[in-house]
Amino acid sequence: MRPQDIVILSKILTIKDESWQFKDLAHSLQISNSEISESLERSVYAGLIDFGKRNINRGNLFDFFIYGMKYVFPAHPGVLTRGVPTAHSHPFLKSFISSNQAYVWPLSSGSVLGQAIEPFYANQVKAIEGDQELYKLLALLDVIRVGKIREKAVAEKEIKELLGYVKSY
């Protein structure tokens, strides 16, 4: 898996129209068609999406998000910089979690000063423009990657709701 695979799967989760095409994903995420295709092949192999490359295996993806993300794509907050708020600094999460320290995806024109968290891929900040659901999900995933136990519990609950998936055991 590559980091952009997480963003591609997250985008598929947020698409309401079932008639999307690879070129739609490529355009909205600013990733090439070939990279979308290769990414979905990796996701099929990992069992995160079906062979038709249309339906996310929500249980598998939930398990990966909650238990695998911090190991496969760890994040270590970096230097103070301007950027787009992420993790517990995301506007939605601020109502659940208060902190004096902000986390951001670096962007020179960003509105918040905080510790840098490297996005999953270079055009991620552009991809979330106008897509609040994708932005929220990616911020929740950053909580899983860098948050403390209480923060992760909030993120897990929200991810579970977004995925529409509840474990039966």
Side-chain angles (χ1 to χ4, degrees):
M1 299 235 18
R2 294 187 180 164
Q4 66 267 26
D5 298 350
I6 299 305
V7 179
I8 293 167
L9 290 168
S10 297
K11 179 64 178 181
I12 292 170
L13 282 170
T14 64
I15 294 174
K16 302 299 183 212
D17 179 16
E18 294 294 322
S19 63
W20 59 268
Q21 298 178 358
F22 284 18
K23 67 179 182 176
D24 300 326
L25 288 178
H27 177 72
S28 67
L29 297 176
Q30 299 185 13
I31 297 176
S32 71
N33 284 343
S34 62
E35 185 55 43
I36 295 288
S37 179
E38 291 169 12
S39 171
L40 292 176
E41 285 296 326
R42 289 188 293 269
S43 294
V44 166
Y45 186 77
L48 301 176
I49 195 166
D50 71 343
F51 289 108
K53 300 176 189 165
R54 291 276 176 210
N55 300 306
I56 301 289
N57 294 330
R58 292 171 185 265
N60 293 352
L61 188 59
F62 176 79
D63 287 345
F64 181 70
F65 280 172
I66 302 305
Y67 305 111
M69 287 285 299
K70 63 184 176 184
Y71 301 110
V72 178
F73 304 116
H76 301 284
V79 298
L80 281 179
T81 187
R82 292 221 164 270
V84 176
T86 187
H88 65 267
S89 303
H90 183 279
F92 171 77
L93 292 167
K94 281 185 151 190
S95 62
F96 298 101
I97 303 164
S98 64
S99 174
N100 294 332
Q101 182 58 51
Y103 291 133
V104 298
W105 293 319
L107 182 66
S108 60
S109 61
S111 60
V112 175
L113 182 65
Q115 282 187 280
I117 293 182
E118 203 60 37
F120 288 108
Y121 76 106
N123 288 328
Q124 180 171 314
V125 174
K126 293 177 186 174
I128 61 150
E129 291 175 4
D131 191 341
Q132 291 303 310
E133 282 190 69
L134 180 62
Y135 177 28
K136 179 181 172 183
L137 181 53
L138 294 176
L140 287 167
L141 295 177
D142 279 345
V143 171
I144 298 297
R145 294 166 68 206
V146 300
K148 294 177 176 52
I149 292 172
R150 189 177 65 84
E151 296 163 350
K152 288 180 183 181
V154 170
E156 181 176 339
K157 178 183 172 286
E158 293 300 320
I159 291 169
K160 194 178 283 189
E161 280 185 30
L162 285 170
L163 285 171
Y165 172 75
V166 179
K167 286 190 173 226
S168 59
Y169 58 89

